[in-house]
Amino acid sequence: MAFQINDEMSPLDISNCSKESLEVKELISNLSINISNLLIENYYDFVKINLARNGNEFSVWMIYGLDELYEDDDNMEEITIGDAVFDHSEEEMNNLILYHENRFVGALAVLKYLFEIFTGSILDANFLTGTPPTQDISNFLVDVFHCEKVQQCEKVMIFQNGISSKTMVDQILDLANGLKSLDFRCPLPDDWSNPKILKLDKLVSWPSEWFTTSDLLTKLDCECAQLNETNLDCRAFKAFMLKWKMLDNTRLKMLEISFDGDWTLFNYDGLDAKKWNPEERDGHYPDLLGKPGAQWLNCEFVMDIQRDDGMLASFWRREQSFHFVVWHDRHPIATLQPDPDLLLKLEEIDFASDEDDDE
């Protein structure tokens, strides 16, 4: 049996085709189609699964509870997806609306069926909770991460509203075997700790009251990290730089930390900081925490420190944030050849004033 998929076919079109027969489903599965973007959203009365295979051109599966279905609907007709039976479905444009007695059970069944069809990799997974998270929502997210395909996803964003379950977060981190990049927007108790989160290639966390000075000095092992709303103060940043100078860490590339404080207790003692020397490095550094090919950071006006092994780093201070980059390649402009329009004019950003330092 011949079956071909063209670029115009949406994920929903492909899913509908897969239900024609077991032979067609198997043919589609054998194509190893990647999921470019998976977005799962939780709201008060429905779960929304958004799936794209080309960029951000999503197909949408919306799963409601039966209490949202009008009993006098003359067009009620059962539909089976995977191992779940839905009492009614409505297809509108590129959206499929489904009704199940338990929206989380129904959504998990849809998701598992989609993974049987789209057997390639998930390039980017995102999880959004638009309401205060309940135990049902936490259990659902953990169930999603029990799917092998989600566990192997390298890039994940978890965005939750309200107070999150630290048990849920621990379970997700333990299940996410392939995770390399995490954008983590979940408020957690100050005493929460999980070492895996500090060993990823890329970490964005907001808020980060749980991140301690000990984490910064002894546990952080990311390539790039952005930790927002920490309880640190400027003395922790100086201690970090002094320790970086003494060690041989070759993994760290970029670090940004925001805090609720000031720089009055900061001084340069022991850092041997120096101004930019154009002969030693380029004046711009790629923004590794932004999107690929995004703007570059102007480092002409920042301070440098150097280790005995020759590794060079730059740091700068803004009113309530600390920024640190390591020059593994001292001439990235020549290496990466960015568009000049991408170079950020950092000189227009307000820096912490040296006049505020306690010299």
Side-chain angles (χ1 to χ4, degrees):
M1 176 184 297
F3 182 83
Q4 292 184 337
I5 292 179
N6 57 55
D7 292 339
E8 286 71 34
M9 292 182 70
S10 70
L12 183 57
D13 292 334
I14 295 171
S15 175
N16 289 337
C17 289
S18 72
K19 291 184 284 188
E20 293 179 4
S21 67
L22 290 176
E23 290 79 9
V24 172
K25 180 184 176 184
E26 183 176 359
L27 285 170
I28 295 174
S29 298
N30 290 337
L31 295 175
S32 297
I33 303 172
N34 288 334
I35 296 172
S36 65
N37 203 320
L38 173 67
L39 169 60
I40 299 178
E41 302 171 82
N42 287 290
Y43 296 99
Y44 281 108
D45 53 359
F46 66 93
V47 177
K48 186 177 179 183
I49 299 173
N50 308 263
L51 189 149
R53 69 184 186 96
N54 295 315
N56 291 317
E57 298 177 6
F58 286 104
S59 290
V60 177
W61 288 258
M62 298 180 67
I63 301 91
Y64 287 87
L66 291 182
D67 53 350
E68 301 299 322
L69 181 62
Y70 294 108
E71 294 182 359
D72 59 351
D73 193 325
D74 297 331
N75 298 315
M76 290 183 65
E77 182 178 343
E78 288 187 348
I79 180 175
T80 300
I81 299 179
D83 58 4
V85 177
F86 298 86
D87 286 70
H88 183 55
S89 67
E90 305 169 24
E91 187 168 336
E92 301 176 354
M93 299 295 290
N94 206 23
N95 296 352
L96 182 61
I97 303 172
L98 302 164
Y99 297 85
H100 192 275
E101 60 182 359
N102 185 313
R103 67 182 187 272
F104 297 112
V105 172
L108 192 61
V110 170
L111 195 62
K112 289 180 176 179
Y113 183 80
L114 293 173
F115 291 160
E116 293 176 7
I117 301 169
F118 299 92
T119 55
S121 301
I122 301 177
L123 306 182
D124 197 346
N126 303 271
F127 303 88
L128 169 65
T129 296
T131 67
T134 64
Q135 189 60 50
D136 285 339
I137 291 175
S138 294
N139 292 340
F140 171 66
L141 286 177
V142 172
D143 287 340
V144 170
F145 272 86
H146 273 95
C147 298
E148 183 178 359
K149 187 175 293 296
V150 178
Q151 293 176 13
Q152 296 172 349
C153 184
E154 295 185 359
K155 183 179 179 183
V156 169
M157 176 179 177
I158 302 176
F159 188 104
Q160 279 203 305
N161 184 22
I163 300 174
S164 302
S165 162
K166 62 180 180 180
T167 301
M168 176 207 75
V169 176
D170 285 335
Q171 288 179 297
I172 288 176
L173 286 172
D174 291 341
L175 289 167
N177 297 322
L179 185 62
K180 293 183 178 180
S181 175
L182 176 62
D183 191 333
F184 183 70
R185 312 291 177 101
C186 295
L188 286 166
D190 290 359
D191 61 351
W192 177 80
S193 178
N194 188 312
K196 183 172 182 178
I197 198 171
L198 297 175
K199 297 182 182 298
L200 302 173
D201 288 353
K202 180 178 178 180
L203 170 64
V204 175
S205 173
W206 199 328
S208 307
E209 288 93 345
W210 54 267
F211 186 75
T212 66
T213 299
S214 177
D215 290 332
L216 175 63
L217 298 180
T218 65
K219 300 176 185 177
L220 184 66
D221 191 28
C222 299
E223 287 188 1
C224 302
Q226 182 185 81
L227 296 143
N228 298 282
E229 298 181 9
T230 69
N231 290 324
L232 305 185
D233 66 30
C234 65
R235 290 171 292 187
F237 309 139
K238 179 181 176 182
F240 163 78
M241 290 190 286
L242 289 172
K243 188 162 186 178
W244 178 85
K245 288 189 65 177
M246 293 188 298
L247 300 180
D248 58 355
N249 183 320
T250 58
R251 178 165 163 78
L252 181 64
K253 296 179 179 178
M254 189 170 186
L255 175 64
E256 296 181 355
I257 301 177
S258 69
F259 68 111
D260 184 15
D262 57 47
W263 290 95
T264 56
L265 297 177
F266 180 82
N267 61 66
Y268 291 93
D269 294 347
L271 291 175
D272 296 322
K274 57 184 180 180
K275 295 182 178 180
W276 173 48
N277 181 349
E279 295 183 359
E280 292 188 344
R281 63 166 175 82
D282 283 350
H284 289 77
Y285 190 96
D287 184 2
L288 302 177
L289 287 164
K291 295 181 179 179
Q295 63 191 12
W296 285 48
L297 304 175
N298 188 329
C299 294
E300 297 177 5
F301 304 92
V302 305
M303 302 300 291
D304 292 349
I305 58 175
Q306 187 166 339
R307 291 196 312 220
D308 290 342
D309 64 3
M311 186 68 75
L312 187 71
S314 298
F315 71 95
W316 60 97
R317 303 171 293 138
R318 294 178 64 186
E319 184 176 355
Q320 291 184 321
S321 62
F322 167 71
H323 305 258
F324 188 84
V325 298
V326 182
W327 296 86
H328 293 267
D329 178 357
R330 294 199 182 191
H331 301 284
I333 295 177
T335 302
L336 301 177
Q337 299 182 345
D339 185 331
D341 292 338
L342 297 176
L343 303 182
L344 175 67
K345 294 183 178 180
L346 194 61
E347 61 268 30
E348 296 179 0
I349 297 176
D350 291 333
F351 288 87
S353 173
D354 287 343
E355 296 178 359
D356 296 331
D357 296 342
D358 181 14
E359 297 295 348

